[in-house]
Amino acid sequence: MHYRRLGKSGIKISELSYGSWVTFGTQVDEKLAGELIKAAYDQGVNFFDCADAYAEGKAEVLMGKAIKGIQRETLLISSKVFWPTLPGPNGRGLSRKHITESIHTTLKRMGLEYLDLYFCHRYDPDTPIEEVVRTMNTLIQQGKILYWGTSEWEPAQIALAYGIAKENNLIPPTMEQPQYSLFHRRRMEEHVMPLASELGMGLTTWSPLFQGLLSGKYNDKIPTGTRVSLENYTWVKDRITPERIGRVRQLTELAKELGCTTAQLSLAWILRRKEVSAIITGATRLEQLD
Ligand SMILES: NC(=O)c1ccc[n+]([C@@H]2O[C@H](COP(=O)([O-])OP(=O)(O)OC[C@H]3O[C@@H](n4cnc5c(N)ncnc54)[C@H](OP(=O)(O)O)[C@@H]3O)[C@@H](O)[C@H]2O)c1
């Protein structure tokens, strides 16, 4: 495993990491979650990604149980806040109230005293950026989180948050979590990477296999028992277009020539960029994780 700096911060993050969206609490039960996290950790993965909204909190519970027994200091554990977790107008977003209440619930669910990384899961147009920056700064001062970041924020919004933090002597965002893969590259390369380099922010990128499509598993047919057959994820099927499958088939040919799998080539293509600190992978089986 290689470790990269998270932007200009002092921590080192495994360039391959493991996340729990869709999988934990849905396709992956407690026992399997424990096996997958242990296997990833044994291969050198130190960053495990979660969010308050994943499987309505079940993913945080499972991840918390799965990391029990691993030395806490060797891990980087994240969660996120923004998407609705409670009914009512204040059970969502990035208000000081919701962030504060959500982090308390997250820490309880995971059985942790602090998170290493905490992400604002989207930009909240109803909360002033200064309120968000001040709240994150407070959580760092309280020792509940160590580094804060954004996810899928527009570069201008990130720059604003950074500027507000600097002007007010507060801690600016350390990282952004954007989507990046062979099928989703332009926004990242043209807008997000230049800003991240300028500000010294780390990038922890998501959906590296474009929901599994870039593993080549859909090249010939739609196999059963995958993400697309889950009740709430049928929209993933719409992304498996004949045009995309045609391109993945070409990628598979290239991978064969190189003597690797299509998934390995897709991940290696992301790792070529030094702006990327860590790729967050997803896996429902030990073979996929390998
Ligand atoms: N910040 C955000 O807004 C955001 C959004 C999305 C994700 N994320 C993070 O990024 C992580 C990864 O996202 P993702 O799960 O969409 O990643 P992905 O790599 O695009 O898709 C992972 C899925 O692809 C399939 N797969 C993985 N390896 C495979 C292999 N070698 N061969 C065949 N199939 C394989 C599995 O699905 P099957 O069940 O179909 O086999 C697996 O669950 C998430 O867990 C989450 O932590 C963040």
Side-chain angles (χ1 to χ4, degrees), residues 36 43 69 87 105 109-110 112 121 139-140 173 192 239 249:
L36 287 162
Q43 304 244 26
T105 308
R109 281 195 196 119
M110 296 183 109
L112 294 174
H121 213 156
L139 295 184
I140 292 174
V192 182
R239 303 195 166 182
R249 283 186 185 139

Side-chain angles (χ1 to χ4, degrees), residues 12-13 21 53 62 77 134 190 206 267 270 273 287:
K12 310 281 189 317
I13 190 163
W21 177 59
L62 260 57
I77 303 296
R134 285 192 182 279
E190 290 172 12
W206 57 269
L267 298 183
I270 298 173
R273 294 294 303 232
E287 308 87 78

Side-chain angles (χ1 to χ4, degrees), residues 64-228:
K65 287 184 177 167
I67 57 173
K68 285 264 159 354
I70 300 179
Q71 192 182 351
R72 175 67 184 93
E73 294 80 359
T74 62
L75 295 168
L76 299 174
I77 303 296
S78 77
S79 195
K80 314 187 193 81
V81 57
F82 169 78
W83 294 107
T85 50
L86 294 165
N90 289 312
R92 64 184 68 200
L94 298 178
S95 66
R96 179 174 300 120
K97 177 174 169 62
H98 183 60
I99 292 177
T100 306
E101 289 166 353
S102 185
I103 184 81
H104 288 161
T105 308
T106 289
L107 292 174
K108 250 183 248 151
R109 281 195 196 119
M110 296 183 109
L112 294 174
E113 287 175 6
Y114 65 92
L115 291 180
D116 300 275
L117 312 181
Y118 198 40
F119 292 91
C120 298
H121 213 156
R122 291 294 181 268
Y123 176 75
D124 179 1
D126 294 336
T127 306
I129 292 188
E130 185 168 346
E131 181 173 336
V132 179
V133 176
R134 285 192 182 279
T135 307
M136 289 294 161
N137 193 75
T138 303
L139 295 184
I140 292 174
Q141 303 298 339
Q142 293 172 337
K144 287 174 187 159
I145 63 171
L146 305 185
Y147 299 87
W148 78 277
T150 55
S151 179
E152 292 292 330
W153 282 31
E154 289 304 324
Q157 294 160 348
I158 298 171
L160 208 57
Y162 201 91
I164 288 172
K166 285 289 176 193
E167 270 165 34
N168 293 285
N169 210 16
L170 303 167
I171 297 170
T174 294
M175 64 283 170
E176 153 69 18
Q177 190 172 133
Q179 183 176 180
Y180 187 48
S181 72
L182 276 154
F183 281 137
H184 194 93
R185 65 184 292 195
R186 229 167 282 286
R187 177 181 181 272
M188 244 305 248
E189 292 175 4
E190 290 172 12
H191 305 291
V192 182
M193 283 176 169
L195 182 78
S197 297
E198 188 190 324
L199 300 181
M201 285 174 72
L203 297 172
T204 62
T205 65
W206 57 269
S207 284
L209 299 181
F210 202 73
Q211 314 275 341
L213 182 59
L214 283 164
S215 70
K217 72 197 292 177
Y218 298 111
N219 280 4
D220 301 319
K221 62 175 171 71
I222 302 223
T224 52
T226 72
R227 183 174 290 189
V228 300

